[in-house]
Structure formats: structure tokens, C-alpha cells
């Protein structure tokens, strides 16, 4: 039997080591989506700054998983969290007041929207109703009640007001009653559309609704992993997105907001980012990735655009709100795609 010289044996060992390393890499699986590196040096200085509001806690200014968020005409904003608390913040993020829903044994509210009269619409999700409330938490009027008839609700999740047209839209889900309902601002039912399903125009847990500058109604169709655009009469104008973590793809879009320049911001609960589309539904850019740093998210739930054109994001699992100028440049990052089952993503509605 011949023996390889020492130099040849070294070459063979190196080759074998390389093969083993490749096999181990294949076996362990390399991640398909790596986060883009955080900007450094000159790029970091040029990156837009996010303002952080709040922290984990139950005192004024603290959050327990903030969800619903709405911008008020004076620049201030309100936030509802999982403890059935609604807090009012100044435009620069200072906590002003806190109140707790009068009834919350069944669950906490979700969607919020500002009314032209200075009040709020509150989706009192687990009570199957929408409440018109004052900014200090007093109930002014109730819209609807539990049920599946016109003007009633199963689980209302989000609401949006079109002050110019004098109407409001509410999206709900549950008991195969997934739909959009349209009301006058006095609570009078006008019409409904949608229905449970995955076909164009149908909905599966519609979790967010927003109105653009032309009166178009955008719906975050969460469990169909898409957004849909309707006109004010409920005619479908387009459906955008499919399941995934790439550009233009979505994973459980829970809310959206329309900016004055026509852009539509979408909070992706599972992709831990905000995706941006233009008025025609074309993907523009993505903002953020999973993490705890400014500009990073942990299951963002709701969005609002205020009168200054700032984007407000309820960064739910990070127990904070993040604010950035929506019309300016945005950091670009590739999200870690976290595709879960609908049951995992939904949790407590």
C-alpha cells in the first residue's frame, strides 16, 4: 500500500474539511432573509430619525401592547392598548391624559378614528359595537350592537372617517361576517360590502381601513395577506400583495394609513416592517426590520398619518409608539420573513 507524501496528505485534509463545512452549512440551513446592516458613519448621519414615545408600564405614558392609534386635527394623538386604556399625547409625545374603558371585562378596544367634532370613534371590539366618545373618555353615542344584520357587528377592528364626505367606515370579522360597513357620521347605516373569502373583493379578517385623498377606501385584508382598494360605493378597484417577505409581498397586514402625497403605509404584523405602496398599489419601499432599535419593530399593529405628514406606528410588542416624517426618505431593510399560521398571528383579536 502506497503512502501519500506529507504535502499531499495536507491537501487532502483541507479538501475534506471544506466538504464537511459545506455539508454542515447545508444541514443547518442558512437564513434566506438577512437584515440589511444598520447604517454607519456618513450613512447613519443621513438616515431619518425616529422619535420614540412611551415605554412598558401601566402608568401615564406607559403601554401594555399598544394597538389602536389615531391622529387628532391639532397634531396630538391617542393610543389604545391591551389593558383597555386610551391615552392622549401631545404632538411632541408628552402624555396628557389616560382613561380606561367603562366596560372591558370581555376585552379591550382596537381601532380608533378622529371625528370632525373633536371626538373619537372607538371600535369596542369584544362588545360588538362602535362608540362615539369624547377625548376624556365619556360615551356620547353607541353605533350598532352585537349581530350580523346591517349596522351590527361581530368583532369591529378598525374604523376610518372621511370628513369631507361626512361618512365613516368600519371593518369587522368573525362568524364569517368579514365585511366593510359604511355609516353617516351620526351613526346611520348606509351600506356594507365584502363577505368572507379569498376571491377579489372578499375578506378574511379585515384588520385596518383608511381613506385616501380621493375618497378611495383601502382595507388591510390580513389573513389573505393583501390590501384591497374600493371606491366609496364598495366597487373593487384593485388587490395588491401576496404572502411573503419580499418587495411588494405581505405577511398579516394589520393596518394601513394614507399620506397626503398618495402613498399608502401598511403595518405588517409578521414581517415586522412598514411597507409603502403608491396610489396605484405599486410597491415603493419598506421601512424597518425585526428589532428594538429606533426604526425597528416587533409586531407593529396600527398606523396613522397626522396633519404634519408624520407617520405614527404602534410598535406593539416593543410597547412604544414610533414617529417619523412620512414624506421624507426612509431607511430600507430586508425583513426577516416570519410566516406563521393565521391562528398564531391572530391571537387575541
Amino acid at each position: 500500500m502506497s503512502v501519500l507524501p506529507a504535502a499531499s496528505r495536507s491537501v487532502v485534509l483541507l479538501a475534506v474539511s471544506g466538504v464537511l463545512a459545506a455539508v454542515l452549512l447545508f444541514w443547518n440551513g442558512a437564513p434566506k432573509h438577512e437584515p440589511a446592516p444598520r447604517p454607519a458613519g456618513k450613512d447613519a448621519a443621513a438616515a431619518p430619525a425616529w422619535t420614540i414615545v412611551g415605554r412598558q408600564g401601566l402608568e401615564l405614558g406607559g403601554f401594555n401592547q399598544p394597538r389602536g392609534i389615531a391622529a387628532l386635527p391639532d397634531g396630538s394623538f391617542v393610543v389604545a392598548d391591551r389593558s383597555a386604556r386610551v391615552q392622549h399625547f401631545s404632538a411632541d409625545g408628552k402624555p396628557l391624559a389616560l382613561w380606561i374603558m367603562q366596560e372591558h371585562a370581555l376585552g379591550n378596544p382596537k381601532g380608533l378614528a378622529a371625528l370632525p367634532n373633536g371626538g373619537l370613534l372607538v371600535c369596542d371590539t369584544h362588545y360588538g359595537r362602535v362608540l362615539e366618545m369624547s377625548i376624556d373618555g365619556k360615551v356620547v353615542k353607541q353605533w350598532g350592537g352585537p349581530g350580523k344584520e346591517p349596522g351590527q357587528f361581530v368583532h369591529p377592528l378598525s374604523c376610518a372617517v372621511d370628513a369631507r364626505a361626512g361618512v365613516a367606515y368600519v371593518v369587522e370579522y368573525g362568524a364569517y361576517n368579514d365585511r366593510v360597513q359604511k355609516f353617516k357620521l351620526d351613526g346611520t347605516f348606509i351600506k356594507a360590502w365584502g363577505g368572507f373569502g379569498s376571491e377579489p373583493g372578499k375578506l378574511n379578517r379585515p384588520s385596518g381601513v383608511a381613506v385616501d385623498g380621493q375618497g378611495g377606501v383601502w382595507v388591510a385584508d390580513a389573513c389573505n395577506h393583501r390590501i384591497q382598494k374600493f371606491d366609496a360605493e364598495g366597487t373593487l378597484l384593485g388587490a395588491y400583495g401576496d404572502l411573503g417577505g419580499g418587495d411588494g409581498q405581505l405577511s398579516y397586514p394589520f393596518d394601513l394609513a394614507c399620506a397626503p402625497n398618495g402613498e399608502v403605509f401598511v403595518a405588517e404584523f409578521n414581517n415586522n416592517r412598514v411597507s409603502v405602496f403608491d396610489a396605484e398599489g405599486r410597491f415603493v419601499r419598506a421601512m424597518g426590520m425585526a428589532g428594538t432599535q429606533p426604526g425597528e419593530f416587533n409586531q407593529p399593529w396600527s398606523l396613522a398619518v397626522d396633519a404634519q405628514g408624520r407617520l405614527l406606528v404602534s410598535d406593539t410588542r416593543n410597547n412604544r409608539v414610533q414617529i417619523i416624517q412620512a414624506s421624507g426618505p426612509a431607511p430600507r431593510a430586508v425583513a426577516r420573513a416570519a410566516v406563521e399560521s393565521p391562528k398564531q398571528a391572530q391571537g387575541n383579536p
Side-chain angles (χ1 to χ4, degrees):
M1 179 179 69
S2 61
V3 178
L4 289 173
S8 299
R9 290 199 300 272
S10 298
V11 171
V12 170
L13 286 172
L14 286 171
V16 171
S17 298
V19 170
L20 286 174
V23 169
L24 286 172
L25 180 61
F26 176 80
W27 180 261
N28 290 325
K32 295 180 180 179
H33 298 276
E34 286 293 339
R38 295 193 185 104
K42 181 179 178 182
D43 291 337
W50 292 81
T51 299
I52 306 297
V53 176
R55 60 197 175 278
Q56 186 172 12
L58 296 178
E59 71 285 355
L60 180 65
F63 292 120
N64 175 23
Q65 297 185 24
R67 293 180 174 182
I69 189 166
L72 303 181
D74 64 359
S76 63
F77 59 95
V78 289
V79 184
D81 74 8
R82 196 172 183 179
S83 297
R85 306 177 315 150
V86 180
Q87 295 189 69
H88 185 199
F89 292 84
S90 66
D92 58 359
K94 291 185 176 65
L96 301 175
L98 180 155
W99 46 268
I100 299 175
M101 298 292 290
Q102 294 176 8
E103 294 182 272
H104 54 86
L106 298 181
N108 51 286
K110 300 298 182 294
L112 304 171
L115 288 165
N117 62 9
L120 291 172
L121 281 185
V122 180
C123 289
D124 202 7
T125 305
H126 296 274
Y127 288 86
R129 63 192 180 191
V130 173
L131 299 177
E132 181 180 342
M133 306 187 75
S134 64
I135 196 63
D136 58 356
K138 295 182 177 63
V139 176
V140 177
K141 188 174 185 178
Q142 177 176 319
W143 295 13
K148 300 174 69 173
E149 297 301 316
Q152 297 179 326
F153 306 101
V154 178
H155 290 308
L157 280 177
S158 183
C159 50
V161 172
D162 185 349
R164 293 161 302 184
V167 298
Y169 300 91
V170 181
V171 292
E172 64 173 311
Y173 89 106
Y176 302 99
N177 204 46
D178 303 50
R179 62 181 177 176
V180 181
Q181 294 199 69
K182 181 178 180 179
F183 296 85
K184 295 180 181 178
L185 292 186
D186 63 1
T188 302
F189 171 80
I190 298 175
K191 68 184 307 179
W193 67 83
F196 178 81
S198 58
E199 302 88 350
K202 298 294 185 180
L203 301 163
N204 186 353
R205 188 179 166 130
S207 296
V209 60
V211 181
D212 64 26
Q214 286 69 50
V217 182
W218 295 79
V219 177
D221 189 6
C223 289
N224 281 326
H225 310 289
R226 67 187 179 190
I227 56 177
Q228 297 199 73
K229 181 181 180 181
F230 301 88
D231 69 14
E233 298 304 312
T235 301
L236 180 66
L237 302 178
Y240 315 103
D242 54 29
L243 177 60
D247 289 351
Q249 294 185 312
L250 301 167
S251 184
Y252 296 99
F254 266 21
D255 199 16
L256 34 70
C258 298
N261 66 357
E263 289 185 331
V264 180
F265 295 84
V266 183
E268 294 188 64
F269 185 84
N270 267 24
N271 276 336
N272 298 298
R273 67 182 180 185
V274 175
S275 282
V276 188
F277 295 79
D278 68 14
E280 302 304 319
R282 293 182 291 258
F283 174 81
V284 177
R285 63 187 183 278
M287 306 164 68
M289 66 177 90
T292 60
Q293 298 298 312
E296 297 177 344
F297 304 103
N298 189 350
Q299 297 181 343
W301 191 293
S302 291
L303 303 172
V305 173
D306 69 10
Q308 303 176 48
R310 302 183 306 168
L311 177 67
L312 291 72
V313 184
S314 61
D315 189 5
T316 300
R317 291 285 182 175
N318 280 330
N319 292 295
R320 64 189 184 184
V321 168
Q322 296 199 64
I323 305 173
I324 194 171
Q325 189 65 37
S327 59
R332 179 68 176 91
V334 178
R336 297 185 182 100
V339 179
E340 301 174 351
S341 70
K343 181 178 179 182
Q344 290 174 308
Q346 289 184 46
N348 180 27

